[in-house]
Amino acid sequence: LLYERHGEPAAVVQLKDLEVPKLGDSDVHVKMLAAPINPADINMIQGTYALLSPLPAVGGNEGVGEVLEVGRRVTALKPGDWVIPADAGLGTWRTRGVFPEEMLLKVPSDIPVLCAATLSVNPCTAFRMLADFESLAPGDSVIQNAANSGVGQAVIQIARASGIKTINVVRDRPDLPKLVERLMALGADHVVTEEMLRKPEMKDIFKSIPRPRLALNCVGGKSTTEMLRHLQPKGTMVTYGGMAKQPVMVPVSAFIFRDVRLRGFWMTQWRKDHAQDQGSVAGMMDALCQLIRRGQLTAPACTEVPLQDYKAALEACMKPFVSSKQILLL
């Protein structure tokens, strides 16, 4: 799926037949199996993301493929192995590709294909934010907005596996009870709407669990300000998205009297910073694959779409209140 200019995805993305390039000595020929459509993919096509691929570009930053053939210098991979992108910008929305070995990470092929296809962005983001900003112990709590997003669903499950409680904020919607039920089934401790954040009933939640030391913000605007109120003194709020397209507003009193910390997180940057530190990348992937094998981490709610129906999938991604991730089957 190729785009030659930036613009609205359904208008600029086209399905094109191209020759598979020749296999170099350090290259790997990959048959792609499945690749999701993430918000960052859409922003890259629109030309609004912090990282843009040179045009013409193949869409997709995430997905899983099977190795068909390897160049003679390739040692870490062999035919039949499953691989995912080691970094953003690979262009995963294709049936086949030839990539340099260092652009791929091997993943176990005994995990479900949809888990592997959605492993390198959302679960990694959730894992790092839970691990890197506050040292959380069992019984501690975390509050997050956009709790039904791919990252949100992963946060709920990874936290649950570590004994950490989650307070999950979602937008009010017509099918709210169904969404609440789904998040509770994943292991959410509390699910509240943005409106409830400013109601006195929030105090009842903190009778049974401590106030959160960590807040995860993917929305911005008013939602952030309301979440901050519930943060413990010296707590940290990490912003990793801005779905409301509004700035993060913080009352001065939160800084002065409660000394809250505001941080940002971008998985792409973390990967750049740890490019030489393969141990921490492997450790994270191992931990996530273990959770998947134990049934403690599942793929987000998905809608599987054949590649030729890509236009419908791109349009579905742009609709509000969609809690299901579109996955292209390649």
Side-chain angles (χ1 to χ4, degrees):
L1 289 178
L2 207 64
Y3 56 100
E4 292 171 346
R5 60 190 170 89
H6 293 128
E8 276 319 294
V12 299
V13 172
Q14 295 173 310
L15 188 54
K16 288 224 165 141
D17 281 331
L18 302 171
E19 288 286 304
V20 177
K22 226 166 75 75
L23 189 73
D25 287 350
S26 306
D27 288 343
V28 180
H29 182 185
V30 177
K31 172 184 187 281
M32 292 303 297
L33 302 173
I37 302 178
N38 288 321
D41 303 329
I42 299 290
N43 296 150
M44 279 175 82
I45 297 165
Q46 290 166 333
T48 58
Y49 201 58
L51 174 91
L52 299 177
S53 298
L55 298 175
V58 177
N61 288 295
E62 188 179 35
V64 63
E66 182 184 336
V67 174
L68 293 179
E69 199 185 347
V70 299
R72 60 191 183 89
R73 287 217 189 101
V74 173
T75 52
L77 296 169
K78 60 185 189 306
D81 284 347
W82 277 15
V83 287
I84 62 173
D87 213 341
L90 192 69
T92 52
W93 301 349
R94 61 172 101 210
T95 52
R96 300 204 169 185
V98 170
F99 308 108
E101 179 185 17
E102 71 269 10
M103 290 175 75
L104 302 168
L105 284 178
K106 183 177 165 178
V107 291
S109 52
D110 65 346
I111 61 175
V113 70
L114 293 184
C115 287
T118 54
L119 182 61
S120 64
V121 177
N122 296 160
C124 290
T125 299
F127 185 92
R128 296 268 51 109
M129 291 194 302
L130 287 169
D132 294 354
F133 294 93
E134 287 283 343
S135 44
L136 299 170
D140 284 343
S141 79
V142 171
I143 188 166
Q144 64 164 345
N145 54 22
N148 56 315
S149 67
V151 172
Q153 293 174 58
V155 165
I156 290 170
Q157 296 174 82
I158 296 168
R160 176 70 183 270
S162 315
I164 294 159
K165 310 283 183 198
T166 56
I167 301 156
N168 301 280
V169 186
V170 296
R171 286 183 296 176
D172 200 1
R173 62 194 65 213
D175 61 345
L176 184 66
K178 217 162 85 185
L179 177 61
V180 172
E181 193 182 318
R182 204 160 59 89
L183 296 182
M184 295 299 266
L186 285 180
D189 295 282
H190 298 277
V191 182
V192 298
T193 61
E194 297 196 334
E195 291 67 34
M196 273 179 69
L197 276 179
R198 50 193 95 104
K199 299 246 170 83
E201 293 89 279
M202 281 300 288
K203 287 200 181 76
D204 296 341
I205 288 182
F206 300 121
K207 284 176 185 157
S208 59
I209 63 174
R211 284 186 176 270
R213 300 212 337 244
L214 182 65
L216 305 176
N217 166 45
C218 176
V219 179
K222 203 184 256 168
S223 169
T224 320
T225 317
E226 296 300 337
M227 271 205 314
L228 265 178
R229 282 184 191 188
H230 302 294
L231 206 55
Q232 272 189 37
K234 292 193 175 350
T236 305
M237 185 172 77
V238 182
T239 293
Y240 68 99
M243 284 158 56
K245 297 189 166 51
Q246 290 162 352
V248 169
M249 309 287 269
V250 182
V252 170
S253 60
F255 274 133
I256 299 174
F257 302 120
R258 293 182 28 243
D259 189 18
V260 298
R261 285 138 226 262
L262 297 196
R263 301 286 304 273
F265 183 77
W266 188 31
M267 193 64 218
T268 304
Q269 188 61 48
W270 187 92
R271 286 191 195 285
K272 275 198 187 76
D273 296 346
H274 293 79
Q276 302 314 312
D277 175 12
Q278 280 315 300
S280 61
V281 177
M284 167 173 70
M285 287 308 187
D286 263 4
L288 291 170
C289 290
Q290 288 293 357
L291 290 174
I292 292 168
R293 286 199 193 94
R294 286 192 215 120
Q296 292 176 307
L297 178 61
T298 55
C302 290
T303 305
E304 299 175 44
V305 184
L307 181 61
Q308 58 272 23
D309 298 343
Y310 72 93
K311 272 206 161 74
L314 286 169
E315 277 159 9
C317 284
M318 313 288 281
K319 292 197 177 99
F321 300 123
V322 176
S323 296
S324 184
K325 199 179 273 294
Q326 303 289 312
I327 305 259
L328 298 168
L329 297 182
L330 307 162

